Amino acid sequence: MTSESETSFLANYNIHDFDVPLTSVDMTIFTIEDDTLKVLLVKRAQFPAKGQWALPGGFIDLTRDNNLDETANRKLREKTGVSSSHLEQVSTYGSPSRDPRGWSVTIAYMALISCNELSLKSDESSEDVVWAPIDDVRNSYTLAFDHGTILEDCHQRLKNKVQYTSLPISLLPQNFTLSELQRTFELILGSSIEKKSFRRRVLAANIITETGELRAGSNRPAKVYKAISRGKQHVFPRNIEGPR
Amino acid sequence: MTSESETSFLANYNIHDFDVPLTSVDMTIFTIEDDTLKVLLVKRAQFPAKGQWALPGGFIDLTRDNNLDETANRKLREKTGVSSSHLEQVSTYGSPSRDPRGWSVTIAYMALISCNELSLKSDESSEDVVWAPIDDVRNSYTLAFDHGTILEDCHQRLKNKVQYTSLPISLLPQNFTLSELQRTFELILGSSIEKKSFRRRVLAANIITETGELRAGSNRPAKVYKAISRGKQHVFPRNIEGPR
DNA sequence: GTAATAGTGTCTATAAGACACTATTGA
DNA sequence: TCAATAGTGTCTTATAGACACTATTAC
C-alpha cells in the first residue's frame, strides 16, 4: 500500500511547515438536579479568558487519545469522575476569531449524566466548577469564546432529541419510575406530556424492564424500571406532539 | 475584556510550541444522474495515498476561510463549480492512524447538488474526478484513509433524513414534477412510496409551489413545482413508513 | 381507440392526545 | 376517611398506507 516514494514523502513531511489551526474538544455536560436541567461550567484558571466561565474542554492529547471520543471521555472523567454515560458529538466550530490565539477548531460534544453518580473536581485548569441551571446561563453567566453558541446548539440538539428518542433515560440513575422519566422528558421539552400517551409510547418501545422493586411513598408505590440496554437510544418513528 | 496580562500571554504564545493535529475538511457530494444516486470521488494526484480514490477535501486556508462552512463551500466550488446547494456538517473524525502524516482531524460535510448545474473540474490535487454510483463504491473503488467510513456515515445520514425531511429537493433542479421528486425519495430510501401518501405529505407541508408550467410527454402533462424557499429543509413530525 | 403517466377519492390502520376512571399507599 | 400519586380504559384525532378510480396527453 505504502510505496517507496510515499515513504520518503512522509520522511520529509513536517507538520510544522504548514499553518494548522489550534484544535480542541469542548463538552456540554447536562444533568438533572433539584428538578432542573443543569449544565457544567468551569471558571477558567488560565489564559486566555482567565476568570471567565466556559464549557469544560481542552486539547487532544496526541500521545494518549486514540480518537476524539477518547478525548471527550477523558475530559468528562477529569471534570466529573464519570466514565460512562451518553456521549454524542454535536458539531465542530472553526474560525480565526473564536479564540484570540488564532485560527482554531473545536469539536463540541454533549454528555448526559445522572447527577448522583458524580463528584465535581476542580483541577489546575479551572478555579471553580458549578452546575448552572440552563435557564440561568443566559442571564447570570457570560461565557468565554463562542461557548454561548455551542451551549445553545447542544441544548437545541437535546430538545430536538427528546421529541423522537429515548435519550433522557441517560439523565436518570439506573433505576427509575415512569413518573420520574416523564418528568425528565417534560423538563427538557418545556411542556407537559399526557401521562397515558407517554406510558404507552415508552412501554411499547420495549426499551425498559421492571426491576421488580417498588418505590414507596405516602401514596400508591410506583414500579421501578431500568433500561434494557443502558446507554442505547431508541428512535421513535413519530415525534411527541405535546398538548393540542 | 482582554486584560493587560492576557495581552502579554498572547504575545508570547506560539502555536507551534505545541503538538496539534493536522486538520482538514472532506466532502461527500451527492447528486442524482441517470436515475442513480452518485457520489463525487477524486483520484489523488499527490501523496499521501497518491493514485487512490478518495473524497474531495483539503486543508483549511487560514488566510481566506472565515469558518469551516466557507472551507467546505470553497472545496465544493473547486471541484464542481457549484456554489450554492444544501451543505451540512455531518461528523468529525480524528485519530493518530487515519492519515500517515500523524494525528489528524477531518470535518466531514455532506453536499447535495443537482447534476445539471455543474461541470466537473480536475485540478492539481486530483488526476481524475468521477461520479460514482453509490452502490458501486463498495465493490469497485478502494477509498483512501478512512473515507469509506466517512462516506458510509454521510450516506446513512442522507437515508435517515429522507424519512423525515424534505432534503431530497436539493438533489433536483430548481423546477421539478411531483413524480420526479417521489422518484428521488425512492432512490435514497431504497423502496417504493405510495403515490397518494407522498403527494399528500409534500403538498400539506407547504414547501413547494406550482410554477404554472406543465411538463409535456406522451401522456398527461405533469404540473411543474419549485421549492418555496430553496435550500431550506422541512422537518416532518412523522417518518415515511414505507410499504406495510 | 390504446398506452402511459398524472392525479384523486376514500377506506383502513396506527399511534398520539384527552380525559375520566380505578388502584394502592400513608397518615 | 382523605390526599396523593400510580396506573388503566376508551374515545377522538391526525396522518400514513392501500388501492381503485378518473384525467389528459401522444400516437
Side-chain angles (χ1 to χ4, degrees):
Chain A
M1 205 62 144
T2 305
S3 69
E4 198 49 56
S5 43
E6 169 148 352
T7 308
S8 73
F9 162 82
L10 289 170
N12 292 315
Y13 186 89
N14 183 345
I15 195 176
H16 286 172
D17 290 350
F18 303 92
D19 264 351
V20 285
L22 256 191
T23 305
S24 60
V25 169
D26 285 313
M27 309 284 304
T28 301
I29 307 172
F30 290 108
T31 199
I32 288 189
E33 192 183 49
D34 302 331
D35 204 42
T36 309
L37 180 63
K38 297 184 177 180
V39 62
L40 191 90
L41 297 181
V42 300
K43 189 171 243 177
R44 291 178 58 86
Q46 295 177 348
F47 292 117
K50 184 172 171 177
Q52 285 186 254
W53 291 102
L55 297 173
F59 296 112
I60 300 165
D61 184 337
L62 301 195
T63 62
R64 279 212 275 273
D65 299 334
N66 261 300
N67 53 57
L68 296 171
D69 286 8
E70 283 187 14
T71 308
N73 260 314
R74 185 168 55 78
K75 292 290 158 196
L76 182 61
R77 234 177 305 117
E78 287 171 7
K79 299 294 172 186
T80 66
V82 173
S83 61
S84 82
S85 81
H86 175 80
L87 189 67
E88 170 177 343
Q89 198 186 286
V90 175
S91 191
T92 298
Y93 303 80
S95 89
S97 54
R98 55 175 300 281
D99 185 307
R101 286 167 288 190
W103 228 107
S104 70
V105 167
T106 197
I107 299 107
Y109 275 81
M110 165 173 96
L112 305 185
I113 66 180
S114 157
C115 74
N116 54 359
E117 50 184 64
L118 64 86
S119 53
L120 289 192
K121 295 175 185 171
S122 291
D123 54 22
E124 73 286 348
S125 73
S126 48
E127 54 187 53
D128 203 358
V129 187
V130 296
W131 284 112
I134 190 81
D135 295 330
D136 293 358
V137 175
R138 192 186 292 268
N139 293 319
S140 307
Y141 297 84
T142 309
L143 297 191
F145 313 118
D146 52 358
H147 287 192
T149 304
I150 296 176
L151 173 55
E152 261 179 49
D153 290 352
C154 289
H155 188 203
Q156 191 58 55
R157 169 82 131 249
L158 180 61
K159 283 192 284 186
N160 287 342
K161 281 207 153 185
V162 74
Q163 294 182 84
Y164 63 91
T165 73
S166 61
L167 215 104
I169 292 177
S170 298
L171 285 166
L172 289 176
Q174 192 163 355
N175 289 339
F176 52 86
T177 68
L178 280 179
S179 295
E180 286 163 359
L181 185 58
Q182 178 173 347
R183 183 66 190 139
T184 303
F185 272 74
E186 289 173 337
L187 279 175
I188 299 169
L189 197 58
S191 69
S192 64
I193 302 169
E194 212 290 317
K195 183 166 56 165
K196 185 63 193 286
S197 305
F198 181 79
R199 282 157 183 261
R200 245 190 331 223
R201 184 174 160 103
V202 171
L203 292 174
N206 244 294
I207 51 178
I208 60 173
T209 183
E210 299 181 17
T211 63
E213 295 159 54
L214 293 175
R215 172 89 84 250
S218 70
N219 46 34
R220 176 170 172 176
K223 283 182 181 169
V224 174
Y225 291 84
K226 65 175 188 213
I228 287 175
S229 43
R230 180 123 172 103
K232 206 183 144 209
Q233 62 178 311
H234 177 77
V235 179
F236 294 94
R238 263 172 90 163
N239 284 0
I240 288 179
E241 294 174 26
R244 274 177 180 152
Chain B
M1 205 64 145
T2 304
S3 67
E4 198 50 53
S5 42
E6 170 149 351
T7 308
S8 73
F9 162 81
L10 290 170
N12 293 314
Y13 186 88
N14 182 346
I15 195 176
H16 286 171
D17 290 348
F18 303 94
D19 265 349
V20 283
L22 256 191
T23 305
S24 60
V25 169
D26 285 314
M27 307 285 303
T28 300
I29 307 172
F30 289 107
T31 198
I32 287 188
E33 190 184 48
D34 303 332
D35 205 40
T36 309
L37 181 63
K38 298 185 178 178
V39 63
L40 190 88
L41 298 181
V42 300
K43 189 172 241 174
R44 291 177 59 85
Q46 294 177 347
F47 292 119
K50 184 173 172 177
Q52 285 185 254
W53 291 102
L55 297 173
F59 296 111
I60 299 164
D61 183 336
L62 301 196
T63 62
R64 279 212 273 273
D65 299 334
N66 260 301
N67 53 57
L68 296 171
D69 286 8
E70 283 188 15
T71 308
N73 261 314
R74 186 167 54 78
K75 292 289 158 196
L76 182 61
R77 236 178 302 117
E78 285 170 8
K79 300 294 171 186
T80 66
V82 173
S83 62
S84 82
S85 81
H86 175 80
L87 188 68
E88 169 176 343
Q89 197 185 289
V90 175
S91 191
T92 298
Y93 303 79
S95 88
S97 54
R98 55 175 301 281
D99 186 306
R101 286 168 287 190
W103 229 107
S104 71
V105 166
T106 196
I107 299 108
Y109 275 81
M110 165 173 95
L112 306 185
I113 66 181
S114 157
C115 73
N116 54 358
E117 51 184 64
L118 64 86
S119 53
L120 289 192
K121 295 174 185 171
S122 292
D123 55 21
E124 73 285 348
S125 73
S126 48
E127 53 186 54
D128 203 358
V129 188
V130 297
W131 285 113
I134 189 83
D135 294 330
D136 294 358
V137 175
R138 193 186 291 269
N139 294 319
S140 308
Y141 298 83
T142 309
L143 297 190
F145 311 119
D146 53 357
H147 287 192
T149 304
I150 296 175
L151 173 55
E152 262 178 48
D153 290 352
C154 288
H155 187 202
Q156 191 58 55
R157 170 82 131 248
L158 180 61
K159 284 192 285 185
N160 287 343
K161 281 207 154 184
V162 74
Q163 294 180 85
Y164 63 90
T165 73
S166 62
L167 211 96
I169 291 178
S170 298
L171 285 166
L172 289 175
Q174 192 165 355
N175 290 339
F176 53 86
T177 68
L178 280 179
S179 296
E180 288 163 358
L181 186 58
Q182 179 173 345
R183 183 67 189 139
T184 303
F185 272 75
E186 289 173 337
L187 279 174
I188 299 168
L189 197 58
S191 69
S192 63
I193 302 170
E194 213 288 317
K195 185 166 52 164
K196 185 63 193 286
S197 305
F198 180 77
R199 284 159 181 262
R200 243 187 336 220
R201 184 173 160 104
V202 171
L203 292 174
N206 244 293
I207 51 177
I208 61 175
T209 182
E210 299 179 17
T211 63
E213 293 160 57
L214 293 173
R215 172 90 83 248
S218 70
N219 46 38
R220 174 170 174 175
K223 283 182 179 168
V224 173
Y225 291 84
K226 65 175 189 211
I228 286 176
S229 43
R230 179 127 173 101
K232 206 183 143 207
Q233 62 179 311
H234 177 79
V235 179
F236 295 94
R238 259 171 93 163
N239 284 0
I240 287 179
E241 294 174 25
R244 276 177 180 150

